[in-house]
Amino acid sequence: MHVVVAGERLLPVGDTSGLPADAPPGGRVGVPGDVLGGGPGGMAEAVREIEAAQGPRWVWADTREAYPPLLERGVRVARCHDLALTEGLLLAAEGRYGEPRSARAAHARLHGLPVPDEQPNAPGTLFAPEPLGAEAVAEVLAGQLARIAALPEPGRFRLLVAAESAGALVAAEMTQAGMPWRRDVHDALLTELLGPRPVHGMRPAKLQALADEVAAAFAHPVNPDSVQQLVKAFKSAGVALKTTRSWELKRIDHPAVAPLLAYKELARLFSAHGWAWADQWVRGGRFRPEYVVGGVVSGRWATSGGGALQIPKVMRRVVMADDGWVLVVADAAQLEPRVLAAMAGDVGLARAAGEIDLYSALAQAFGGERDNAKIAMLSAMYGGTSGDASKLLAVMRQRFPKAYQFVEDAAKAGEEGRIVRSWLGRTSPPPSARWKELVSGPEGGRAARDRGRFTRNFVVQGTAAEWALALLAVLRGRLPEPARLVFFQHDEVMVHCPAEQAAEVMAAVTESAAEASRLLFGRTPVRFPMEAVAVSSYADAK
């Protein structure tokens, strides 16, 4: 099995038998130190040659540090083992969630040294410490492989590590490739909605007009961006408010409400995706956010800038393929219920999950109503009890007992202060000290139920995130050149490719979804359909 360790130098690794089985067969790779002469360019060329000749799994401290310089020089790698991401997964599995997970911290723990208080996976900062050498990286790798082998389900956990590390490669590649973003269309849209671009520090014309309407409704100046001023103004008008959230404003009758709601909607757009945002995040006709792999405790991604996971629907018309190219957009239909069916091994639910529309297939069990089937499934996964949920859950308990019991067991574990794990072994955070105080007090029942709802959903959402990672890992290897993954959000992917490759890319998406299902669940009747369309604008995909 080929593995190359990347530290200050590339050196041979010892035993790699604990790595995931999908790594290519072969012997160990040793790279003479003088191969790396010539600075970063020499390093990139060495990596390019080794990648082409042997297709190794690269082992490095942090993909966010190691991979972008290679991508800048046109070098892509097929596989890696990200020590920082792996350390975070292992620490959680060992009951040490939240401890520093950098490779440097892992190395310090191996040698009983003081553990540096570092932010995991943070790109280079001012006065950052020197990177670990290859020998130290190899030591951390060996330690991690031994710890993985000692886990109750090492095979599944190895797949989790491989998928998480592949996700890190995809994240870096998507940032480097960027999502097509038409600045001219963006500017025209903002001008249409807000008015011309204002001078720095001023509101756009339409926002200012709405602010003036709000002030006129109160008959005195009020800053619509100030919650304190708004609450005070409404109180003076005889309206008591706790917040200025839209749902609360919609419940009251006052002439300031309509312009204030319109102001809040446009102000969010101006702040989150306005001209200043584009100046910072759109370069060369591409939106380049900073993705954070596993940034959410369940394994879902987050962003550390750019707001890629919160693109407003109105902004989708700005995402346009290059001339002669298309955007292939695909999302997984009803992913989490299908994941639950596969995990629980519930024959009845799995049979319904073999259909394109799972909720329609379930409708007969719930009085022929598709909406009732959806409410029951979502209530089971999220712990809902309002409205008809309790009655519908009783039906689910009777008709789909294994699926119902699966999430109930997870909820009970959470209520009792225990941890739960996803299908591949991602571990939930332990209860906090504050929760332990609350659960022993007068509000203990509520605190226990709240944590039960969290763990109930964690096992499903965490496994759905693993399925999505497996999908990304497989899909990136199936895409023809020069097609590129340019966007990912929970269960949705976007590929930018030449128009003549659209059919091939859509087929690759379908095949990758099937392969991701096989990797996680083996042979299962549950289907994970990915509905893919080829469009010139993201707005046309929905």
Side-chain angles (χ1 to χ4, degrees), residues 122-196:
T125 55
L126 192 63
F127 307 123
E130 286 295 314
L132 287 180
E135 295 90 343
V137 169
E139 287 180 350
V140 174
L141 171 64
Q144 289 184 345
L145 296 180
R147 290 155 67 193
I148 291 171
L151 293 174
E153 294 277 359
R156 289 187 183 183
F157 202 89
R158 289 184 188 114
L159 180 56
L160 174 59
V161 167
E164 190 94 330
S165 297
L169 295 177
V170 172
E173 290 165 0
M174 289 198 304
T175 297
Q176 194 264 346
M179 174 191 287
W181 193 276
R182 287 279 299 273
R183 282 296 299 265
D184 57 335
V185 178
H186 185 213
D187 180 71
L189 177 61
L190 292 176
T191 301
E192 173 191 339
L193 296 174
L194 301 170

Side-chain angles (χ1 to χ4, degrees), residues 353-365:
E355 303 297 327
I356 293 293
D357 187 349
L358 179 147
Y359 296 132
S360 293
L362 289 175
Q364 185 177 358

Side-chain angles (χ1 to χ4, degrees), residues 452-507:
R453 279 191 289 272
F454 164 71
T455 52
R456 172 193 297 272
N457 185 238
F458 181 95
V459 295
V460 179
Q461 189 181 105
T463 304
E466 291 164 356
W467 182 90
L469 279 174
L471 168 74
L472 288 176
V474 175
L475 179 59
R476 74 183 283 267
R478 291 177 181 265
L479 291 178
E481 286 290 339
R484 290 288 184 267
L485 274 161
V486 294
F487 180 64
F488 165 64
Q489 176 181 251
H490 307 326
D491 58 2
E492 180 182 16
V493 296
M494 179 189 295
V495 178
H496 191 214
C497 68
E500 60 270 20
Q501 291 183 346
E504 183 180 357
V505 169
M506 287 191 287

